[in-house]
Amino acid sequence: MVDRTPAVVSALITPMREDRSIDENALQNLVMYEIEHGSEGFYCCGSSGEGLLLSVEERMLIASLVSEVCKNKVPFYVHTGSLGTREAIQLSVHAQKVGAKAVSLIPPIYYHYSQKEVENYYLDVVNAVDLGVIVYNIPQFTGISFSKESSVMQSVKIIGVKHTSMNLYDLERLGQAFPKKILFNGFDEIFLYSLAAGAQSTIGTTVNVCPKLFASIREDFLGSNISGAQQKQHMLNNFIEAVVKEGIFSAVKYCMTYLGVPSGPCRKPFKELDDGAKLRIEGALRRIEPYL
C-alpha cells in the first residue's frame, strides 16, 4: 500500500526522439535527474506522459524502465487506464510485476457507459491485481466525476483518488467520507489550497521542473507559514500560466531539455514549439530559478 506521508510526485513526461519514438536512455536519465532534484515519486504514462498516445507495449516498456531507476529509492505509480478493460488489466498486471506501488486509472472514455459499467471496469482491475488502485478523477477530459457518493469508492482496494479538478469542496468531502484513503491533488495551480482541503500528496506536470518549489510550499504549509506558502504558490502559478499558454506538455518537455535533460517533442497531434515560445518559456524558468 501507499504510505500516507505527504509526497511531491512527478507526473512524468515521456522523452522522445525527433521521430517520436521513446528515448529509453533519456527517460532513465530524466528520472535520475528528478530524484536528485527532489522528486519524491513518479506517476508514469498519465496525461503528462502522453499515455493514451502510446501503445500497450510502449506503456509497459516505460513502466519497466522507470522501475529500474526507482528501485529502493522512491515509489512509482503507473497509470493503466485504457479504452477497454482487457488492456487496463494487462497494463495493471504488468505494473504489479515490475514493482509499482499502485496503479491508477481514468474511467473508460468515448462511449457513454452507465455508472454500473464504469464501476465494473474498476472492480475488474481491482480483482485482477494485488495492488492498490487510485481512481483518476479528471472530469473535464472524461465527462465523469467521482465524489463521496460514487459507489466504486467503497472498495477497500481503491486506496485513493487523483483529484484533477478545481472542485476542492468535493476533495474535502471525499476526505471526510473516506479518511483512510489517500487524496492526491492533480492540479498544480491549487497545490497549497488542496493541502488545506485535506490532500496528502500531489501528482503534477510542473513537478518535473521544480519539485523543490512544491516541497517548499508544503514545508511552509505544515509549519503554519501560510503567507510564505501563498507567495510561493503565486510564483508557481505565474510559471504555470506562462507554460500553459505555450502548451503545457510541450513546454515542460522543453523546460527539461533547457535544463540539460533532452526530452524531445510530444507526439502528434501536439504541435512543436516555435522559437518565440521557447524564448518565453526560458524567461518563465528564470523567474523560478532559485527552485530549480
Side-chain angles (χ1 to χ4, degrees):
M1 291 294 184
V2 183
D3 68 45
R4 295 184 62 81
T5 304
V8 173
V9 177
S10 169
L12 191 64
I13 57 173
T14 301
M16 294 182 184
R17 304 181 183 91
E18 288 305 312
D19 65 359
R20 273 69 171 184
S21 61
I22 295 170
D23 190 331
E24 294 93 337
N25 289 334
L27 173 62
Q28 292 194 313
N29 288 338
L30 174 65
V31 174
M32 287 188 286
Y33 175 94
E34 291 196 32
I35 291 173
E36 291 169 359
H37 286 76
S39 290
E40 300 170 353
F42 296 91
Y43 182 97
C44 58
C45 298
S47 303
S48 305
E50 303 165 72
L52 295 183
L53 298 179
L54 305 171
S55 69
V56 168
E57 292 73 23
E58 287 174 321
R59 292 170 73 173
M60 290 193 293
L61 172 63
I62 289 168
S64 296
L65 292 169
V66 171
S67 170
E68 290 174 7
V69 182
C70 288
K71 193 174 295 183
N72 300 322
K73 295 184 181 74
V74 297
F76 73 99
Y77 315 100
V78 181
H79 172 250
T80 60
S82 301
L83 293 177
T85 300
R86 182 173 64 176
E87 292 80 8
I89 289 174
Q90 183 181 2
L91 289 163
S92 298
V93 169
H94 178 265
Q96 177 177 325
K97 181 180 177 181
V98 298
K101 199 77 170 176
V103 296
S104 177
L105 296 88
I106 58 166
I109 57 174
Y110 183 72
Y111 296 106
H112 293 284
Y113 296 106
S114 69
Q115 189 66 33
K116 186 64 176 176
E117 287 169 328
V118 172
E119 179 182 353
N120 286 341
Y121 162 85
Y122 280 99
L123 294 180
D124 283 342
V125 173
V126 161
N127 292 329
V129 294
D130 189 23
L131 272 181
V133 175
I134 300 165
V135 169
Y136 189 169
N137 186 36
I138 184 166
Q140 69 272 25
F141 285 173
T142 65
I144 298 171
S145 184
F146 293 89
S147 68
K148 71 174 187 176
E149 282 79 26
S150 301
S151 57
V152 72
M153 295 298 301
Q154 301 292 337
S155 171
V156 294
K157 289 184 71 175
I158 299 292
I159 62 168
V161 180
K162 181 180 185 292
H163 188 73
T164 306
S165 167
M166 291 292 182
N167 191 331
L168 290 177
Y169 174 74
D170 275 358
L171 180 68
E172 185 270 340
R173 292 287 83 194
L174 279 164
Q176 289 299 302
F178 304 104
K180 293 184 178 180
K181 298 188 188 295
I182 303 167
L183 303 182
F184 296 86
N185 170 60
F187 265 135
D188 300 356
E189 300 92 323
I190 56 172
F191 174 48
L192 171 61
Y193 315 109
S194 75
L195 293 175
Q200 296 96 4
S201 304
T202 197
I203 298 171
T205 307
T206 57
V207 173
N208 286 273
V209 181
C210 51
K212 292 178 183 176
L213 181 50
F214 283 84
S216 188
I217 292 170
R218 179 189 63 194
E219 182 180 353
D220 281 348
F221 173 78
L222 294 176
S224 299
N225 180 11
I226 302 305
S227 175
Q230 287 177 323
Q231 290 175 19
K232 291 168 185 174
Q233 184 71 57
H234 295 329
M235 178 188 294
L236 176 60
N237 285 356
N238 288 338
F239 173 71
I240 293 169
E241 191 172 56
V243 294
V244 165
K245 286 180 180 177
E246 311 301 341
I248 181 64
F249 304 131
S250 295
V252 167
K253 280 193 163 184
Y254 180 69
C255 286
M256 300 317 299
T257 298
Y258 182 78
L259 293 172
V261 191
S263 298
C266 286
R267 284 215 169 148
K268 292 182 177 181
F270 286 118
K271 66 180 179 65
E272 291 196 56
L273 300 171
D274 59 28
D275 290 342
K278 290 177 181 178
L279 285 173
R280 291 188 290 274
I281 292 166
E282 290 170 18
L285 277 170
R286 285 192 288 273
R287 290 190 285 276
I288 60 168
E289 191 168 5
Y291 294 97
L292 297 178

